[in-house]
Amino acid sequence: MIPVLGHTWNKGEVTAAPTLEANGSKKYTCTVCGAAKTVVLTMAEIREAAITLTEVNSCGVKR
């Protein structure tokens, strides 16, 4: 019987960066068999980061 190893995904490569207006994507490749999967990087993630940055004042303390 051949053992089932499952996929071992690499760290992935951003194929399209998310912006405030559009989702992005990131492609992962299995290091064992070469299979690929793509995941969506959502606009919400970048919006949350932008909001967090605006909440920090110049001395690094959150308002």
Side-chain angles (χ1 to χ4, degrees):
M1 181 180 272
I2 299 172
V4 177
L5 301 175
H7 293 294
T8 302
W9 301 108
N10 65 3
K11 292 183 181 183
E13 178 181 339
V14 175
T15 53
T19 67
L20 293 175
E21 291 85 29
N23 288 333
S25 59
K26 188 171 188 177
K27 180 180 178 183
Y28 294 89
T29 304
C30 177
T31 59
V32 177
C33 70
K37 69 176 181 176
T38 301
V39 298
V40 174
L41 302 174
T42 66
M43 295 179 297
E45 294 168 3
I46 195 109
R47 284 185 183 140
E48 289 172 13
I51 290 167
T52 300
L53 288 174
T54 59
E55 290 178 349
V56 176
N57 65 21
S58 62
C59 64
V61 178
K62 278 194 167 188
R63 296 180 203 180

